[in-house]
Amino acid sequence: MPNALTRRFEEYVVLGDRDRAVLARISSLPARTISARRNLIREGDCPQAVYLIMEGWACQYRELDDGRRQIVDFAIPGDLCDLNLFILDRMDHSIGAITRLKVVEIGRETFHKIVASSPAITSALWWQELVSKSIHREWILNVGQRRALERIAHLFCEMFLRLESVGLTEGFCCEWPLTQNDIADATGLTAVHVNRTLQQLRQMELIDLANRRLKIPDMAGLQIVGRFNADYLHHHRNARHTDRTRAGSDFMPVPMVATGEA
Amino acid sequence: MPNALTRRFEEYVVLGDRDRAVLARISSLPARTISARRNLIREGDCPQAVYLIMEGWACQYRELDDGRRQIVDFAIPGDLCDLNLFILDRMDHSIGAITRLKVVEIGRETFHKIVASSPAITSALWWQELVSKSIHREWILNVGQRRALERIAHLFCEMFLRLESVGLTEGFCCEWPLTQNDIADATGLTAVHVNRTLQQLRQMELIDLANRRLKIPDMAGLQIVGRFNADYLHHHRNARHTDRTRAGSDFMPVPMVATGEA
DNA sequence: CGTTCAGTTGACCATGATCAAGAGTGGTGG
DNA sequence: CCACCACTCTTGATCATGGTCAACTGAACG
């Protein structure tokens, strides 16, 4: 089985043998272990390396001074934690370990060398960057417009598909290391309400969640409830054949004036 | 006065004369006019060009099939609308004109030429990409954790500073083309509640909003109410001298186990 | 001059928050 | 090995923020 990083990148670009060799080399660098619930890096730090997740789940989060905390994304094996070091001076968010983590740290020079040596990998990096941005947008939509049941169902759908794309599912089962508190922080709800909503999802027989394992007995149903549409994940290597082009700009949906003009 | 694009990029990188010439050339390309409340491009379309906003406000938004709509970011002069064309096949969000817009369309070839010819500009593009991602994270935090009054105050602070950085403010005044409906869609509230919250902000003498113009009589107060901290905007050319480095990873704030391990 | 849209107001309602308490579970140290 | 502690999950009661529905005003524009 190819490593997660390679799998992930092949979702986006066509790799040559040399590219694959480079990725394999990176993946076999000595990994650092971080124990569960510790921080990898905190907002305000000056990052010295890009982190590549090899094993475990991490979360990116932001917080307000009064303690309110919002998880803005999760990172799973094959994910590269922000390229901030590459450009920005300071971390604008924190990264914490949900489970025990194995990460490879890629320093600035190594990073530059890789980018210089492989256009395919550079392209995949851009791609990953844009996809994770698209995921951010979906989260804004999730937290801004969906109600509790939808939000949580949506989160299950997203994480399941992301895990699947790096080979971390069996059938409709996967690890689920998030506590109800983590889910609350990711969805902008309280833990109490997450608890009640999970019970509802269980009773609807859309999920089967216990002992840090998730099973989805009815993926189609869960996607409907979560109003989930996977397009934003851009897992396109599996769906590339659907290449219909739509007509150009028409009107905005809600408030509009019909005073057309080119 | 330099054009908005140059101003914006100089916030991020040091430009040479040649870079500035390139940016000036781009900015003087024939602009396309789009009337207010029309779409520039819609989710699902295959983008043919990157849009550079020259004049006016645009919004990026996503929507659910039942009509709920979430604005995920605004674009003002100097902003470059997603580099999706560069990498991704399909738009995962729509872009609509709030006001009448002037945009320059930059085609794939032109784009590649620029990137190949100027490392500084390429770097600025990466930078812009990462900053707008950081803004997305802030919006997730905004919608997920802040309450109505805070959310709206925060939006005013953010947009004011962004406008300031491209020279579109005078003192503490600026154009404010957003309707209460737009604010509602951006903050995940209803227009009715936005209305009442605006009245509250007015009564607190934190804003003075009428006739599509915003005046902020008490910026410090507004920032406190909105729990606003500008770091995430990475407008660092003006604040670069605060280069303290903080100690490495410590514990995660909320749920944590003290079973440290390197 | 009428239509349309932004803004405003009031009455009522519901989703989800808050507060509090208790049960189950796993890891750690005595 | 067991006792304790901390955390996660669960449940109930009550509350509040913000949503919904509806009607009306005023301004802009054709």
Side-chain angles (χ1 to χ4, degrees), chain A residues 40-53:
Chain A
L40 251 163
I41 191 164
R42 298 212 54 181
E43 192 175 327
D45 290 351
C46 301
Q48 300 304 313
V50 166
Y51 296 103
L52 167 63
I53 311 281

Side-chain angles (χ1 to χ4, degrees), chain B residues 161-177:
Chain B
L161 290 191
R162 287 171 66 180
L163 289 166
E164 193 180 38
S165 88
V166 288
L168 291 174
T169 54
E170 309 113 43
F172 287 100
C173 294
C174 64
E175 297 284 317
W176 191 266

Side-chain angles (χ1 to χ4, degrees), chain A residues 32-46 51 59-72 82-84 86-93 96-98 100 122-123 125-141 143-147 150 181-182 184-189 227 231-232 234 236 242-257 259-262, chain B residues 32-46 51 59-72 82-84 86-93 96-98 100 122-123 125-141 143-147 150 181-182 184-189 227 231-232 234 236 242-257 259-262:
Chain A
R32 191 175 133 200
T33 303
I34 287 105
S35 30
R37 301 293 160 187
R38 283 208 150 216
N39 279 313
L40 251 163
I41 191 164
R42 298 212 54 181
E43 192 175 327
D45 290 351
C46 301
Y51 296 103
C59 67
Q60 300 175 245
Y61 65 94
R62 302 228 36 202
E63 44 197 340
L64 298 175
D65 18 325
D66 61 3
R68 282 177 280 175
R69 173 166 168 270
Q70 176 70 41
I71 293 178
V72 298
D82 268 62
L83 305 181
N84 280 17
F86 198 43
I87 303 274
L88 301 178
D89 42 354
R90 295 278 194 77
M91 288 299 290
D92 51 53
H93 61 278
I98 298 284
R100 171 207 287 250
T122 306
S123 182
L125 285 170
W126 267 102
W127 198 291
Q128 213 207 30
E129 203 54 33
L130 292 177
V131 169
S132 68
K133 205 171 152 189
S134 173
I135 291 174
H136 280 345
R137 283 189 286 265
E138 185 74 24
W139 282 47
I140 298 174
L141 176 63
V143 173
Q145 301 296 332
R146 280 187 261 251
R147 4 231 249 72
E150 299 170 333
N181 229 302
D182 295 327
D185 286 345
T187 52
L189 300 166
R227 295 166 187 277
D231 288 351
Y232 75 98
H234 295 277
H236 78 143
T242 58
D243 211 350
R244 62 214 144 83
T245 305
R246 282 180 39 193
S249 322
D250 36 282
F251 290 97
M252 279 177 76
V254 177
M256 73 183 91
V257 185
T259 51
E261 217 239 63
Chain B
R32 192 175 131 199
T33 302
I34 288 105
S35 30
R37 301 295 161 185
R38 285 209 149 212
N39 279 312
L40 251 164
I41 190 162
R42 299 212 53 181
E43 191 174 328
D45 289 352
C46 301
Y51 296 103
C59 67
Q60 298 177 247
Y61 65 94
R62 302 231 31 205
E63 46 198 337
L64 298 174
D65 20 326
D66 60 4
R68 282 178 281 174
R69 172 166 169 270
Q70 177 70 42
I71 292 177
V72 297
D82 269 61
L83 306 181
N84 281 17
F86 199 41
I87 301 273
L88 301 177
D89 42 354
R90 295 278 194 77
M91 288 300 288
D92 52 53
H93 61 276
I98 298 283
R100 172 208 285 249
T122 307
S123 181
L125 285 170
W126 267 101
W127 197 291
Q128 212 206 32
E129 204 55 33
L130 291 176
V131 169
S132 68
K133 207 173 150 187
S134 173
I135 292 174
H136 280 345
R137 283 189 286 265
E138 185 75 24
W139 282 47
I140 298 174
L141 175 63
V143 174
Q145 301 296 333
R146 279 186 260 251
R147 359 231 249 74
E150 298 170 333
N181 229 304
D182 295 327
D185 286 345
T187 51
L189 301 165
R227 294 166 187 277
D231 289 351
Y232 75 99
H234 294 275
H236 78 145
T242 57
D243 212 351
R244 65 211 139 86
T245 304
R246 282 180 38 193
S249 323
D250 36 282
F251 291 97
M252 279 176 75
V254 177
M256 75 182 91
V257 184
T259 52
E261 216 240 59

